[in-house]
Amino acid sequence: MVDITEVKLGSIIEFKKPHPCGGKQWNVLRTGIDFKLECVTCKRIIIISRLDVTKRIKKIIEEK
Ligand SMILES: [Zn+2]
């Protein structure tokens, strides 16, 4: 299990399943109850609940 309290603004995180564009890495734009994430590959922005981040995250690539 990844400790998502380690995920900070500017962190790059990797999900278990890829985005439709094929990318798995996300740039963290906002943390809190909901997370705002930007796909590193296609730059699309999503808002996702903290619980869903906890379920989907595979690892933290880069901590800021
Ligand atoms: Zn994407």
Side-chain angles (χ1 to χ4, degrees):
M1 273 286 275
V2 178
D3 179 5
I4 67 163
T5 61
E6 296 296 317
V7 177
K8 305 284 193 310
L9 286 185
S11 294
I12 305 290
I13 60 174
E14 186 174 310
F15 280 172
K16 294 167 190 163
K17 290 186 180 173
H19 196 224
C21 74
K24 284 186 174 179
Q25 296 185 3
W26 297 84
N27 182 19
V28 179
L29 303 181
R30 190 176 77 211
T31 61
I33 297 170
D34 291 315
F35 280 49
K36 192 172 177 184
L37 305 175
E38 179 191 58
C39 179
V40 169
T41 310
C42 71
K43 307 294 181 195
R44 182 143 181 247
I45 291 172
I46 62 165
I47 294 176
I48 177 171
S49 72
R50 189 179 188 88
L51 182 64
D52 279 340
V53 174
T54 306
K55 286 183 196 161
R56 294 185 197 183
I57 194 169
K58 186 175 174 194
K59 60 184 172 182
I60 301 169
I61 304 291
E62 189 182 330
E63 290 177 45
K64 287 277 169 73

